[in-house]
Amino acid sequence: MIRENIMDFTMLNLLKKYEPDYAADNYCGLQDEPIHRFYDNRSALIFSAPHATRTFRGHAVKKPDLYTGALARTAAIDSGTSALTRRRFAAEKHSITDFITAQRLQNHHFLDIHGMSGERVFELAVGTGILSPQIYGPVLAQIAALADKYEISWVLNHPDYTGRFGLTGDLQRLSPQPRILQLEWRLDMRDFYRCPDNVLNRTLPFLTDLALFLIRRS
């Protein structure tokens, strides 16, 4: 129990350490930062957070997916994997997909972290992009098992959260392989200020366990 409390304290401190950088300038991020930053742990899997700050999408400004940058980085540390997050607001032409291809990262596995409305009845929406869920069979079975373990309510390919038009779909169009999943988390599963128990005891362990499962498979 003491060890668990220490780990929770450490993870919470990391989340609170990273979030202010993304929140700077009303979630436009720090202006001396690159647009995207890759935290390379030389792993086969990368946690990505493409909307950790404000972004352009469809020629309009999109609100940030709050706390996803800090969550992706902390999950990467907890699982010994890499992270890729948007660090500041920039013109629409600077896409995370272009960064990935320029850095030749497209053959990695990705868990793409997003945030959805706090009003949804489910806590997690998993999107398989343009690929059939059947291709992800063993991974989805593991997600179901972990969701049961951590008591997380989830849906698959909700019409609003399929990932077809984001990073998941982009990378699948480049190579139709089941290497990426979009994970949309409800606000109370990301907000470590107001709901730390959810994040520390459900969201983060789920992400760590899923990452380790994917690494073993790869």
Side-chain angles (χ1 to χ4, degrees), residues 122-141:
F122 44 87
E123 296 165 319
L124 169 65
V126 177
T128 64
I130 64 173
L131 298 184
S132 165
Q134 282 71 31
I135 299 175
Y136 287 91
V139 180
L140 293 178

Side-chain angles (χ1 to χ4, degrees), residues 6 34 46 52 73 83 91 95 142 154 161 187 201 209:
I6 292 173
I46 300 171
R73 290 187 65 188
S95 75
Q142 179 68 6
W154 70 291
Y161 309 116
L187 181 58
N201 298 317
D209 287 358

Side-chain angles (χ1 to χ4, degrees), residues 70-185:
L71 187 59
R73 290 187 65 188
T74 304
I77 290 171
D78 198 33
S79 58
T81 59
S82 302
L84 170 60
T85 67
R86 175 176 281 273
R87 295 289 298 182
R88 65 177 173 86
F89 182 74
E92 188 169 12
K93 64 180 181 179
H94 299 287
S95 75
I96 194 169
T97 304
D98 290 343
F99 179 90
I100 288 169
T101 55
Q103 298 295 318
R104 299 183 179 179
L105 301 173
Q106 61 267 34
N107 291 328
H108 285 68
H109 290 262
F110 285 83
L111 289 175
D112 195 36
I113 309 301
H114 293 254
M116 61 182 173
S117 168
E119 299 175 356
R120 294 295 188 183
V121 296
F122 44 87
E123 296 165 319
L124 169 65
V126 177
T128 64
I130 64 173
L131 298 184
S132 165
Q134 282 71 31
I135 299 175
Y136 287 91
V139 180
L140 293 178
Q142 179 68 6
I143 286 175
L146 291 174
D148 184 63
K149 177 180 179 180
Y150 295 112
E151 300 182 346
I152 296 170
S153 58
W154 70 291
V155 296
L156 178 63
N157 286 330
H158 184 279
D160 295 336
Y161 309 116
T162 63
R164 295 178 62 87
F165 305 108
L167 178 60
T168 298
D170 286 349
L171 292 185
Q172 290 169 343
R173 290 179 187 95
L174 293 173
S175 176
Q177 301 295 323
R179 296 192 185 105
I180 179 168
L181 281 169
Q182 179 171 294
L183 303 178
E184 295 260 1
W185 291 97

